[in-house]
Amino acid sequence: MTRKITTIGFDADDTLWHNERFFQLTQERFAELLAEHADPDHLAERLLAAERRNLGHYGFGIKGFVLSMIETALEVTDKRVPGEVISQLIAAGQEMLQHPIELLPHAREAVEQLSEDHLVVLITKGDLLDQERKLAQSGLGDLFDGIEIVSDKTPDIYARIFAAHGGGATQALMVGNSMKSDVLPAIAAGAHGVHIPHGQTWALEHAEAPEAEPRFHALPDLGELPELVARIG
């Protein structure tokens, strides 16, 4: 009998392992370094604006974040930011690129259990080298039937990935903490979308939940995912 769900897509950052908290800690350090030039709320607004306009240039990830911090530091100081501040921002970015991986609760168990009867695919966006490093350190790499590191997550990209891994989007389910990137475009492609909130989500990833959509599901954590997949299938 053909399963209703053949493929499970997993987001990586803040779905399988912690990520956003390192950005927030670095942003707090950024505010301390620029405290003489801008209050924290104003600085956060300027940084977010820089990140938004730079996505098309740098993509998602730590390197673009660091460049946006440097750009914002130059803006708020009228290009008089001390070289030592720039040096510390670069060092903070390098530290972020080396932070150890900490799996979120039930991450390994969920991937292991679902990989027994389904194709499981990691679908993540961001810097290629950094995502490869995190996957290797996570110890989960061998569990996945496919690894897709993409520049963005759109309905067309999900349709392509699920066509290449399994029976297409209508027989797929995507799991992630970002409503904007993991849930809405996957549903638009024809898949089920499962939102698992993380608690710390980048402002540019916020979106409203499609509560009336029958293929939308919300779970408190990954521990309940295998039961949901079984119920759908």
Side-chain angles (χ1 to χ4, degrees), residues 27-28 30-47 72 76:
Q27 190 164 333
E28 290 173 8
F30 178 57
E32 293 172 0
L33 291 170
L34 276 298
E36 295 182 5
H37 304 279
D39 67 76
D41 290 341
H42 177 66
L43 192 64
E45 291 176 2
R46 298 287 291 271
L47 176 57
T72 303
V76 300

Side-chain angles (χ1 to χ4, degrees), residues 4-5 8 17 47-48 59 61 67 88 113-115 118-119 129 167 205 211 214 228 231 233:
K4 187 174 182 180
I5 299 295
I8 312 293
W17 53 68
L47 176 57
L48 186 64
L67 288 170
Q88 290 197 45
Q113 185 173 341
L114 289 167
S115 67
H118 302 79
L119 294 172
L129 292 177
E205 293 291 347
E211 300 290 355
L228 172 66
R231 189 164 67 246

Side-chain angles (χ1 to χ4, degrees), residues 13-29:
D13 294 337
D14 296 318
T15 297
L16 296 177
W17 53 68
H18 287 288
N19 182 67
E20 178 61 22
R21 68 184 183 185
F22 299 107
F23 283 81
Q24 294 193 6
L25 287 171
T26 301
Q27 190 164 333
E28 290 173 8
R29 177 59 178 151

Side-chain angles (χ1 to χ4, degrees), residues 31-213:
E32 293 172 0
L33 291 170
L34 276 298
E36 295 182 5
H37 304 279
D39 67 76
D41 290 341
H42 177 66
L43 192 64
E45 291 176 2
R46 298 287 291 271
L47 176 57
L48 186 64
E51 290 181 281
R52 180 180 285 109
R53 66 175 177 264
N54 286 334
L55 279 178
H57 301 296
Y58 308 138
F60 297 88
I62 292 170
K63 295 175 184 177
F65 176 61
V66 172
L67 288 170
S68 292
M69 284 196 297
I70 293 173
E71 180 179 320
T72 303
L74 289 166
E75 288 178 353
V76 300
T77 64
D78 196 24
K79 299 184 179 179
R80 294 193 297 267
V81 58
E84 177 59 26
V85 171
I86 301 296
S87 178
Q88 290 197 45
L89 293 177
I90 292 172
Q94 292 173 340
E95 184 177 339
M96 290 175 71
L97 289 166
Q98 298 169 3
H99 70 75
I101 293 304
E102 180 184 347
L103 293 179
L104 284 159
H106 312 293
R108 172 172 290 279
E109 297 88 340
V111 177
E112 284 181 339
Q113 185 173 341
L114 289 167
S115 67
E116 295 176 359
D117 298 306
H118 302 79
L119 294 172
V120 291
V121 182
L122 186 75
I123 307 173
T124 183
K125 63 185 180 184
D127 180 77
L128 176 63
L129 292 177
D130 189 37
Q131 295 300 83
E132 288 180 337
R133 174 191 68 85
K134 288 186 282 191
L135 178 60
Q137 290 187 9
S138 74
L140 301 177
D142 291 341
L143 297 174
F144 290 101
D145 298 288
I147 307 295
E148 299 279 352
I149 300 175
V150 298
S151 60
D152 202 358
K153 292 177 175 177
T154 66
D156 286 345
I157 286 176
Y158 280 119
R160 173 185 63 77
I161 292 173
F162 290 135
H165 302 280
T170 58
Q171 291 183 284
L173 180 148
M174 180 64 193
V175 186
N177 71 295
S178 171
M179 195 73 69
K180 182 177 179 180
S181 293
D182 303 322
V183 176
L184 297 180
I187 290 175
H192 288 260
V194 180
H195 183 240
I196 299 181
H198 177 264
Q200 293 178 312
T201 301
W202 188 29
L204 297 185
E205 293 291 347
H206 286 294
E208 292 298 318
E211 300 290 355
E213 168 57 58

